[in-house]
Amino acid sequence: MTPKISWTCKFYVSPGSAMACAVIVTPGLLRGSVAAVSTQAALSRLTASTLRHLTLTRIMKSKKKTDHLERTASVIRQEVASPAKVCGAADESPSVKSLRLLVTDKEFSFKAGQWIDFFIPGVSVVGGFSICSSPRLLEQERMIELAVKHANHPPALWVHNKCTLDSEVAVRVGGEFFFDPQPTDASRNLVLIAGGVGINPLLSILRHSADLHREQANKGSGYEIGTIKLFYSAKNTSELLFKKNILNLVNEFPEKIACSLHVTRQTTQISAELKPYITEGRITEKEIRDYISKETLFYICGPPPMTDFFSKQLEDSHVPKEHICFEKWW
């Protein structure tokens, strides 16, 4: 993951605590409410220097260059992890499972687009998964949602093969890829470019934007969002995650939200409901270029080659670097 920071990035953790980490949650640490409270208390007693030492020790022991903690070691994150409980799970596609987590810790918060360090008792490897829900869901119900693709990575295998309702984990927010406008900020248009499971942080941003628009429309105050265009590419329509949720937002706010769904290896007939939104083939440079303006921010998340391509094309088209925010997932 190699994120750039857009104008929207406003940090709330000091650089001195950015390296908090890896081994804070150990097997069996979260076995009930008493254990969870004890865990939180123990975590709060660890100093920033101790946490940095633990993180560096964990990273030096890592043999995988693609280890999430190693890749994100310099990225700002919350200082401690919060206990969480799995309260919902569903198959979003043949290869992706979604989770709904209850996080009762009132200190836990996130900005649309950020990810979490995902600690699993009994699993030594720490996962890194983007939150796909809106911050409003957390505020109202203390819930966050994730969507995890099947892989041989131990945290992903646990999600797909061992995770059950009421499973206890711990989560910690991090990341410099987010959209968090303040009420007095200038109105901006958004172009969201997603590939595969890279839709997760962009769906969070899309949902947050819809919440901001609802608030502005209902109260006549708050941040005024511009237009939002989502470009989303997957192998086929069965792998287009959250497509119903996306189309519901498009239909709810037709004057604000639009989407272009791309499939690259479709072999079955496309449903009548989806067909108006589907383009067969990859997202093209020309499609993106048509949305360039000085009021537009671009958020990109997908496989590294796709992210690199569109970031370079936008820079070559003279889009200011501070208007391009991207994140890569390996």
Side-chain angles (χ1 to χ4, degrees), residues 132-169:
C132 57
S133 51
S134 167
R136 187 66 52 85
L137 182 66
L138 179 66
E139 293 168 11
Q140 294 178 343
E141 302 181 33
R142 301 310 306 170
M143 301 280 188
I144 62 171
E145 294 178 352
L146 312 174
V148 180
K149 186 170 184 177
H150 187 276
N152 288 326
H153 195 238
L157 281 176
W158 181 87
V159 168
H160 280 264
N161 300 333
K162 295 184 178 180
C163 176
T164 61
L165 291 182
D166 294 331
S167 288
E168 293 175 327
V169 295

Side-chain angles (χ1 to χ4, degrees), residues 134-137 206-216:
S134 167
R136 187 66 52 85
L137 182 66
L206 182 65
R207 287 169 159 169
H208 182 49
S209 300
D211 285 337
L212 290 172
H213 183 55
R214 289 188 191 102
E215 182 179 17
Q216 211 278 335

Side-chain angles (χ1 to χ4, degrees), residues 11-32:
F11 302 129
Y12 60 100
V13 179
S14 64
S17 63
M19 302 285 290
C21 199
V23 282
I24 2 188
V25 176
T26 58
L29 201 55
L30 299 176
R31 294 299 180 194

Side-chain angles (χ1 to χ4, degrees), residues 28-294:
L29 201 55
L30 299 176
R31 294 299 180 194
S33 58
V34 175
V37 172
S38 300
T39 299
Q40 193 71 4
L43 293 176
S44 66
R45 290 195 294 269
L46 293 177
T47 65
S49 60
T50 301
L51 289 167
R52 282 196 294 273
H53 172 73
L54 291 174
T55 299
L56 291 172
T57 300
R58 169 68 179 82
I59 289 170
M60 285 188 289
K61 289 181 179 179
S62 171
K63 295 181 180 180
K64 281 189 73 175
K65 291 185 179 180
T66 57
D67 179 85
H68 165 69
L69 291 177
E70 184 174 355
R71 292 197 313 269
T72 63
S74 63
V75 178
I76 289 178
R77 69 234 296 153
Q78 287 179 334
E79 191 169 350
V80 297
S82 298
K85 182 179 288 189
V86 177
C87 58
D91 291 327
E92 291 297 330
S93 81
S95 65
V96 176
K97 187 174 183 177
S98 65
L99 295 183
R100 179 170 273 216
L101 304 179
L102 175 66
V103 189
T104 57
D105 180 7
K106 293 297 194 289
E107 298 300 312
F108 179 89
S109 64
F110 74 98
K111 294 175 172 62
Q114 289 187 300
W115 40 256
I116 56 168
D117 297 328
F118 192 74
F119 300 93
I120 306 164
V123 178
S124 61
V125 180
V126 177
F129 304 129
S130 287
I131 300 170
C132 57
S133 51
S134 167
R136 187 66 52 85
L137 182 66
L138 179 66
E139 293 168 11
Q140 294 178 343
E141 302 181 33
R142 301 310 306 170
M143 301 280 188
I144 62 171
E145 294 178 352
L146 312 174
V148 180
K149 186 170 184 177
H150 187 276
N152 288 326
H153 195 238
L157 281 176
W158 181 87
V159 168
H160 280 264
N161 300 333
K162 295 184 178 180
C163 176
T164 61
L165 291 182
D166 294 331
S167 288
E168 293 175 327
V169 295
V171 294
R172 184 181 56 204
V173 170
E176 299 155 354
F177 177 88
F178 55 78
F179 179 61
D180 184 41
Q182 301 307 299
T184 56
D185 287 342
S187 179
R188 299 285 184 173
N189 302 322
L190 300 182
V191 171
L192 313 176
I193 307 171
V197 78
I199 187 62
N200 287 344
L202 301 184
L203 181 62
S204 179
I205 291 172
L206 182 65
R207 287 169 159 169
H208 182 49
S209 300
D211 285 337
L212 290 172
H213 183 55
R214 289 188 191 102
E215 182 179 17
Q216 211 278 335
N218 293 335
K219 298 181 179 179
S221 62
Y223 180 74
E224 185 174 349
I225 191 77
T227 61
I228 307 160
K229 176 71 176 188
L230 169 66
F231 292 94
Y232 178 20
S233 177
K235 181 173 64 176
N236 53 52
T237 53
S238 67
E239 293 291 346
L240 286 168
L241 308 179
F242 304 106
K243 45 188 173 287
K244 288 186 178 179
N245 301 92
I246 293 168
L247 294 185
N248 285 343
L249 290 176
V250 170
N251 292 326
E252 183 180 357
F253 304 113
E255 79 288 359
K256 284 287 182 181
I257 301 175
C259 73
S260 178
L261 307 176
H262 289 245
V263 290
T264 57
R265 282 180 272 173
Q266 185 73 20
T267 57
T268 59
Q269 187 173 358
I270 298 170
S271 69
E273 180 188 19
L274 278 179
K275 202 159 190 178
Y277 304 95
I278 296 289
T279 299
E280 297 200 45
R282 298 184 185 278
I283 303 166
T284 66
E285 175 193 354
K286 182 182 182 306
E287 288 175 286
I288 304 301
R289 194 166 56 234
D290 289 343
Y291 287 85
I292 293 175
S293 76
K294 63 181 181 180

